[in-house]
Amino acid sequence: MPVFDLRELDRPIIGAPMAGGPSTPELAAAVTDAGGLGFLAAGYRSPGNLEDQLGRVRELTAGPVGVNLFVPDSLEPDPEDVARYSNSLRAEASALGVEVGAARNDDDGWHAKLELVLDARPEVVSFTFGCPESRVLATLAQAGILPMVTVTTGEEAQQAVAAGARALAVQGPDAGGHRGAFDQRTIPTDRPLADTLTEIRSQTAVPLAAGGGVSGPDDVVRLLGLGADAVQVGTLLLTADEAGTNPLHRAALTDGRFAETSLTRAYTGRFARGLTNRFIREHADAPAGYPHLHYVTAPLRAAAITAGDADIAHLWAGTGFASARPEPAAAMVERLSPTR
């Protein structure tokens, strides 16, 4: 059965899925209706909540939409490392009036969400944190859904295509939020996105979406010229009118307080890029251990957001964050798109 082709987009802009609240049906629909491809982020949502979001986005747009799923990770970190890190956060948690969370592993509703997308039939289903089994990708393609895998290296790209990925999201080191590397224990490469994209383009003919550090239309033109079929934009969309970004995060992106971003495992045990605040600087020793550490720090992060404490809250952002500004998502898609 034919699947959706990224090369058919009216505008080569993909709204990156941003789990934890920023991705909303309204944002996805706005990006799609502007000629791009909007995404819902299934991560951290219950299957029931995701089902509601899919229903809502179908009410808002008749155009193509995507859904992003987290691939479960079997890594079990050293319990002593996790306990040591948890204990180091207790004073911080107490000052916020909460307790450190209990570390645990789960699959983020993996099987239920797979069944849900097979039933709902979004045009695209993408995967982050690994490559699913070949049978998963094949089942999606047979249902007419484009299976897309996030990759950060040429080796990961080869593995994903061999498994049956029909498109790749090539994530560069400047991207905000979590790195999509298959192995969370590996220190992320700082190889420029341009080099990785060029390598992957030479390896495969499948459609490629490239993203990471996009700050304006010149970046879009450059990535398209290097072989990308579309450009994935995340950080800039955090300040879109339709995004569900919390007020603290929105302000931090635009008020000029923060000058740089850093990669950190401090919040979730998986490397992610965010605005460099005190919490990131003071917890550079956080061990690998996603999603275990995600649950450990969840109460602190929630309390910090409620308290408006930007020194503790996680403030995901790519290196192009200084170009973020409040505006409708449609205006952003139009502004970033090259003239044809």
Side-chain angles (χ1 to χ4, degrees):
M1 180 180 293
V3 297
F4 181 77
D5 192 327
L6 298 180
R7 294 166 290 201
E8 295 175 359
L9 291 171
D10 292 335
R11 288 195 167 109
I13 303 296
I14 295 175
M18 297 177 286
S23 288
T24 64
E26 291 75 18
L27 179 60
V31 171
T32 288
D33 285 346
L37 175 66
F39 257 89
L40 295 176
Y44 310 133
R45 296 193 178 277
S46 69
N49 184 262
L50 176 60
E51 185 175 18
D52 291 343
Q53 287 217 326
L54 277 164
R56 176 60 177 156
V57 80
R58 287 305 192 196
E59 292 174 357
L60 294 171
T61 182
V65 294
V67 176
N68 177 259
L69 303 182
F70 290 168
V71 178
D73 197 318
S74 60
L75 176 71
E76 284 296 335
D78 186 327
E80 291 187 4
D81 289 341
V82 175
R84 189 180 305 112
Y85 188 63
S86 298
N87 289 333
S88 75
L89 301 178
R90 294 195 186 283
E92 193 106 70
S94 178
L96 286 166
V98 296
E99 295 183 357
V100 173
R104 63 184 174 89
N105 197 1
D106 67 25
D107 65 1
D108 198 46
W110 172 250
H111 296 290
K113 290 176 182 178
L114 280 177
E115 291 180 7
L116 178 58
V117 294
L118 280 168
D119 183 58
R121 305 282 177 99
E123 282 71 17
V124 184
V125 171
S126 71
F127 298 93
T128 304
F129 301 161
C131 183
E133 297 176 357
S134 296
R135 62 179 180 80
V136 171
L137 300 176
T139 300
L140 290 169
Q142 288 162 9
I145 301 168
L146 174 67
M148 185 174 181
V149 175
T150 303
V151 300
T152 63
T153 66
E155 183 179 357
E156 289 176 351
Q158 288 181 324
Q159 182 179 336
V161 172
R166 299 286 191 91
L168 301 174
V170 183
Q171 184 191 50
D174 294 331
H178 283 105
R179 295 289 287 148
F182 290 5
D183 186 346
Q184 63 171 287
R185 296 165 298 183
T186 303
I187 303 296
T189 176
D190 59 0
R191 188 185 189 200
L193 172 60
D195 294 348
T196 303
L197 176 60
T198 301
E199 176 190 358
I200 294 173
R201 179 77 290 166
S202 72
Q203 294 172 348
T204 181
V206 304
L208 303 179
V214 174
S215 62
D218 289 348
D219 293 325
V220 174
V221 170
R222 177 175 56 86
L223 292 173
L224 294 175
L226 291 169
D229 298 291
V231 174
Q232 191 158 281
V233 178
T235 300
L236 297 186
L237 283 170
L238 285 169
T239 53
D241 296 349
E242 300 87 350
T245 313
N246 68 68
L248 178 65
H249 197 173
R250 282 180 181 270
L253 289 164
T254 57
D255 64 12
R257 173 183 170 183
F258 294 97
E260 61 184 5
T261 64
S262 301
L263 276 176
T264 182
R265 284 195 299 222
Y267 292 108
T268 69
R270 219 182 212 285
F271 279 108
R273 184 173 293 280
L275 299 175
T276 308
N277 61 5
R278 179 178 62 78
F279 194 87
I280 287 178
R281 289 193 299 269
E282 292 183 358
H283 298 290
D285 60 341
Y290 180 90
H292 306 73
L293 266 61
H294 162 76
Y295 291 111
V296 166
T297 68
L300 283 80
R301 291 181 282 128
I305 290 170
T306 299
D309 191 337
D311 282 319
I312 299 175
H314 63 298
L315 305 167
W316 300 147
T319 58
F321 76 91
S323 298
R325 66 193 194 205
E327 63 180 330
M332 190 179 303
V333 172
E334 183 176 357
R335 178 167 57 84
L336 290 173
S337 300
T339 16
R340 296 188 174 183

